[in-house]
Amino acid sequence: VIAYRSAPLPLDPLAEVLAGDEAVVLLHSAAIASHFASECNRLRLDLSTIALAALAPRIAAAAGPGWRACHIAPY
């Protein structure tokens, strides 16, 4: 039984929103965190303007370094 499935999509429509200094992105899986970081790099977005909120340390690690902030939910 599939409990959940994710479909990585391009971030092009959101690039303008992510380029602001107030963007906060909630990350729920390592796969999505990695995809999000790849898309930000592809779009040449300044990671130092984007804050992350991750559900676990492993998810934050998958996003990599360079973000404005990276908050990890406590266990």
Side-chain angles (χ1 to χ4, degrees):
V1 174
I2 296 173
Y4 101 55
R5 179 185 308 175
S6 65
L9 300 172
L11 291 177
D12 299 84
L14 298 175
E16 186 176 323
V17 172
L18 293 170
D21 287 338
E22 297 181 15
V24 177
V25 176
L26 309 177
L27 299 171
H28 62 84
S29 76
I32 292 302
S34 178
H35 172 70
F36 178 72
S38 294
E39 282 293 289
C40 286
N41 289 325
R42 181 182 68 81
L43 294 170
R44 294 188 170 95
L45 296 175
D46 181 1
L47 302 185
S48 70
T49 66
I50 301 170
L52 303 179
L55 287 180
R58 167 177 93 79
I59 296 169
W67 307 96
R68 177 169 47 96
C70 185
H71 304 282
I72 302 168
Y75 284 87

